[in-house]
Amino acid sequence: MPTFSIHTYGCQMNVRESEAAAKALLDAGFAQAPDEETADIVLVNTCSVRGKAEDKALGKLGLLCATKRERPGRVVGVMGCMAQRMGGELFKRLPRLDFAIGTRCAERVVPAVEAALHGDTTLALRDLHDRPDAPNGHVAGGFSAFVTILLGCNRRCTYCIVPDVRGDEWSRPARDVLAEVRALAAQGVREVTLLGQSIMNYGLRTPAFDADDPPSPGGYTRPFPRLLEAVAAIPGIERIRFTSGHPSGVTEELVRLFREEPKICHHLHLPVQSGSDAVLGRMRRGYTREAYLAAVARLRAAAPDLALTTDVIVGFPGETEADFQSTRTLMEEARFDNAFIFKYSPRPGTVSATWEDDVPDAEKARRNQVLLGDQDVRGARINQALVGTTLRVLAEGPSLRNPAKWSGRTPGNKIVVFTPPKGLRPGDFLDLVITRAAPQTLYAD
Ligand code: SAH
Ligand code: SF4
Ligand code: F3S
């Protein structure tokens, strides 16, 4: 049987969809290739969020298609957000491409591969207002899994292409999500990360629960906390994470859940984007600096050891030095454990792309460096304060840098490098005393 390899760009949603595609190909009798070089079928799962993300994927696809000159039977396909955005244009730019599959067409992967093996090309796109199928296949064997609960996004921040490539926000029925998590737990999964672009909107636009669903034992009335409570009740699941958050979703019920449900990891990715109200307004983020910080304060009151991570965009149209300084001070006030900083990239069809991209690239780069420098100092300081404390670590396996050591993660999602005790297996929990800290890593020697 031909072998396949999948190369994934973009967010965890794409990682999840690559896994579902791999599972579908395995079920159809294809085998995972040991590496991309030797694979008969190569799939590239793509991201459109910044221009650079697309450039990388297009470069990669160009190289892969070029290998077809020597290996004419090789199959090269593209899926994900860029496939959805560019569609048929991809075949013009990449004449040897075999297939392009959009974001809500996961079930087309196997047929497209089979068609390509017979020499036929496939372009599969679906109306993004349609009720989608959520990816649900998992490759067995892991102790940690992603589960998509909310597809698409309707928030329409002015800079963002995601609503155009992922379509309308749609919540999977809670019973489907719970069945998937139960099946994962039965296979030995101990940790689940629930995924959605604006995940706290779960069940708000399309219903998640219906009258037949059992009532919430804790009296949760909002669908997202109610779902988390139900996931936490599944035996075998020890840790629950979710991403990404939005301050409007930090409700009293969610805060109560953080306080009362020990399986909810005290970690939250809460993208802030900017610390300036003027910029937040033009981004149409739907909150002010003050509202963001108030949400953080509510969470910290319930979970003082909360690890908070964020995304920031520098160089948004009209961002002044004063706006930028507001972002700097917000990041210090919010005390982020980690931050992903992005240089603004105008995306075709978005509202902000019609505005002048007036912050020069060199200035975006400078602002990016300043924030990264601040974050390094802050991260080192926060991690240093953890030295001497005992943290519960989920062991992942040998460390990439030093195979004599293992790495694992704390509830706050920080990586800990440690010497493994005899007989330790990936997926085991252990309590470790932190002996040393770096900005991004903790050590337990
Ligand atoms: N749904 C998530 C974000 C998904 S995109 C949320 O809203 O929380 C991931 C990150 O990419 C965003 O948080 C933002 O920081 C960044 N991003 C999105 N569009 C961008 C653009 N046009 N230019 C630069 N960064 C962008
Ligand atoms: Fe994009 Fe905003 Fe939706 Fe996040 S919430 S995916 S930034 S439109
Ligand atoms: Fe990129 Fe699509 Fe995720 S645009 S960030 S892969 S939703």
Side-chain angles (χ1 to χ4, degrees):
M1 244 337 199
T3 62
F4 69 89
S5 173
I6 306 179
H7 190 93
T8 306
Y9 294 101
C11 62
Q12 288 144 319
M13 200 80 79
N14 268 12
V15 174
R16 174 72 198 95
E17 282 157 23
S18 289
E19 186 198 15
K23 170 72 170 139
L25 288 165
L26 289 169
D27 286 351
F30 298 97
Q32 190 106 45
D35 51 50
E36 190 177 288
E37 284 281 279
T38 58
D40 303 308
I41 301 153
V42 186
L43 251 142
V44 180
N45 196 356
T46 56
C47 174
S48 284
V49 82
R50 284 168 293 275
K52 256 209 185 125
E54 289 197 342
D55 294 344
K56 266 197 229 161
L58 285 169
K60 174 94 190 165
L61 283 161
L63 292 174
L64 285 169
C65 287
T67 66
K68 293 186 70 176
R69 250 176 269 155
E70 273 95 57
R71 296 165 66 183
R74 200 175 201 205
V75 171
V76 177
V78 53
M79 60 188 275
C81 296
M82 187 183 77
Q84 179 72 39
R85 191 180 81 76
M86 294 178 66
E89 195 195 323
L90 282 165
F91 292 92
K92 287 186 204 133
R93 297 181 63 151
L94 302 158
R96 291 192 184 82
L97 186 69
D98 291 291
F99 60 84
I101 295 174
T103 48
R104 290 188 174 186
C105 312
E107 75 293 346
R108 298 293 299 272
V109 171
V110 171
V113 166
E114 278 163 354
L117 290 169
H118 291 100
D120 296 329
T121 58
T122 303
L123 172 62
L125 299 172
R126 181 173 291 156
D127 182 347
L128 294 181
H129 301 297
D130 276 358
R131 182 194 152 121
D133 290 324
N136 52 38
H138 286 269
V139 176
F143 53 84
S144 181
F146 289 137
V147 174
T148 302
I149 68 164
L150 183 80
L151 287 85
C153 186
N154 279 58
R155 212 173 268 286
R156 293 210 169 263
C157 305
T158 51
Y159 52 82
C160 186
I161 198 148
V162 169
D164 294 327
V165 291
R166 291 252 166 205
D168 286 348
E169 195 174 281
W170 181 80
S171 301
R172 286 178 71 196
R175 67 178 55 164
D176 293 359
V177 173
L178 295 170
E180 187 173 327
V181 178
R182 264 185 230 108
L184 287 166
Q187 291 173 18
V189 166
R190 326 280 306 266
E191 175 184 72
V192 288
T193 303
L194 307 182
L195 301 179
Q197 291 301 339
S198 204
I199 196 165
M200 295 162 178
N201 279 2
Y202 179 74
L204 297 187
R205 191 175 169 276
T206 63
F209 291 91
D210 60 41
D212 303 339
D213 287 311
S216 155
Y220 292 100
T221 57
R222 290 176 172 269
F224 184 55
R226 186 174 167 191
L227 179 78
L228 290 174
E229 178 195 43
V231 172
I234 295 174
I237 298 299
E238 303 290 340
R239 277 186 173 179
I240 300 162
R241 305 180 184 280
F242 52 86
T243 195
S244 294
H246 185 276
S248 63
V250 182
T251 56
E252 221 163 293
E253 287 194 358
L254 190 73
V255 170
R256 171 154 75 89
L257 196 77
F258 264 99
R259 185 182 288 120
E260 291 176 1
E261 177 47 66
K263 290 185 182 179
I264 302 289
C265 286
H266 286 182
H267 168 228
L268 185 61
H269 187 64
L270 195 65
V272 68
Q273 314 301 358
S274 171
S276 151
D277 282 343
V279 174
L280 288 170
R282 287 202 298 279
M283 288 177 164
R284 267 190 227 146
R285 285 291 293 176
Y287 52 82
T288 58
R289 172 194 180 101
E290 194 189 336
Y292 183 91
L293 288 171
V296 170
R298 288 200 297 281
L299 285 162
R300 288 212 195 275
D305 59 343
L306 181 81
L308 192 66
T309 58
T310 203
D311 294 341
V312 171
I313 297 175
V314 292
F316 190 73
E319 186 189 68
T320 62
E321 179 62 23
D323 292 324
F324 171 64
Q325 291 302 333
S326 300
T327 299
R328 279 188 90 178
T329 57
L330 175 127
M331 290 179 76
E332 188 52 34
E333 280 175 52
R335 215 166 59 77
F336 292 122
D337 290 77
N338 201 0
F340 301 91
I341 324 280
F342 304 108
K343 293 191 283 178
Y344 171 69
S345 164
R347 308 305 297 129
T350 60
V351 171
S352 72
T354 64
W355 305 336
E356 193 192 343
D357 181 13
D358 58 356
V359 179
D361 199 55
E363 180 58 17
K364 287 180 188 164
R366 186 189 71 84
R367 292 178 188 179
N368 189 5
Q369 285 308 316
V370 170
L371 295 187
L372 286 175
D374 287 355
Q375 187 55 48
D376 251 18
V377 174
R378 187 182 310 114
R381 191 186 75 218
I382 293 172
N383 284 353
Q384 194 59 41
L386 294 171
V387 172
T389 64
T390 302
L391 296 175
R392 195 156 183 76
V393 170
L394 177 56
E396 293 184 347
S399 152
L400 290 178
R401 293 232 186 109
N402 177 359
K405 301 276 185 180
W406 274 40
S407 66
R409 276 172 201 270
T410 68
N413 211 30
K414 294 180 192 259
I415 295 172
V416 182
V417 175
F418 61 96
T419 312
K422 268 213 177 66
L424 187 72
R425 286 162 314 171
D428 286 347
F429 285 95
L430 63 178
D431 293 316
L432 295 174
V433 180
I434 304 306
T435 52
R436 207 152 51 84
Q440 310 273 359
T441 316
L442 300 172
Y443 298 87
D445 296 321

